[in-house]
Amino acid sequence: MWRTIVAGIAGGVAMNLAMLLTFRGVGFGWNGDGILLTSSIQSQKLIAVWTQLAPLPLVVVSPAPIIIGIVLFGIVHAFIYRSISVAWPAGILPRAMRFAGLVFVMAFAFWEFFTPFNQFGEPLPLIALELLFWAIIAICEAFAIAAVVELKAGGD
């Protein structure tokens, strides 16, 4: 059980770092000057949610609870990984890629469809960029989890 918790913490940390580099570094920018806020095709509703409408997203004004929450999601993901990865081919790479695909489709692709596309009217080219970010994030988290869990089990 402790190995799974450590794997989840590693996954959550990897997820936070990948989000920092993709969404913060490129998408929103360090000073609000990223492509997701400055693109001429971006939905004004989405820009307003992230920059004007009170209360601003917690991740903008007080990120600590979100960072901690993502680590907790990583722990949950690690327990899910442990319960289903045994049905997949052995090894870090095949299992991590399957888990990344599962998380990407069930959480991130659904999120982009239901919220930015449905609620904010975000244009498809920017959604595609965000999906690329989410794919990177899912892969980082999945590899961190798989590496910790599989190394214990003697995986490659």
Side-chain angles (χ1 to χ4, degrees):
M1 181 171 95
W2 289 109
R3 173 72 62 160
T4 306
I5 293 170
V6 169
I9 292 169
V13 168
M15 193 175 183
N16 273 304
L17 289 174
M19 288 177 76
L20 181 70
L21 294 174
T22 57
F23 277 99
R24 179 65 176 199
V26 177
F28 292 105
W30 299 107
N31 299 307
D33 56 354
I35 191 170
L36 296 176
L37 294 176
T38 61
S39 173
S40 62
I41 63 171
Q42 183 58 280
S43 158
Q44 293 304 305
K45 185 175 182 182
L46 185 137
I47 292 170
V49 165
W50 282 97
T51 64
Q52 300 164 3
L53 296 177
L56 290 177
L58 202 53
V59 74
V60 173
V61 296
S62 181
I66 301 304
I67 292 167
I68 293 165
I70 288 170
V71 172
L72 294 175
F73 272 107
I75 294 169
V76 171
H77 285 176
F79 277 97
I80 294 169
Y81 175 88
R82 284 278 308 269
S83 71
I84 62 177
S85 65
V86 295
W88 297 333
I92 293 170
L93 179 63
R95 288 185 174 180
M97 292 307 291
R98 281 169 176 78
F99 194 65
L102 180 67
V103 169
F104 176 80
V105 170
M106 298 203 61
F108 303 146
F110 175 79
W111 158 258
E112 286 296 323
F113 172 73
F114 194 77
T115 305
F117 178 72
N118 173 49
Q119 294 179 348
F120 299 151
E122 188 169 25
L124 292 178
L126 295 177
I127 288 175
L129 177 62
E130 291 172 4
L131 287 171
L132 174 64
F133 292 167
W134 286 122
I136 292 166
I137 292 162
I139 290 167
C140 290
E141 181 201 28
F143 269 91
I145 290 171
V148 173
V149 171
E150 299 304 321
L151 287 178
K152 172 206 175 234
D156 55 334

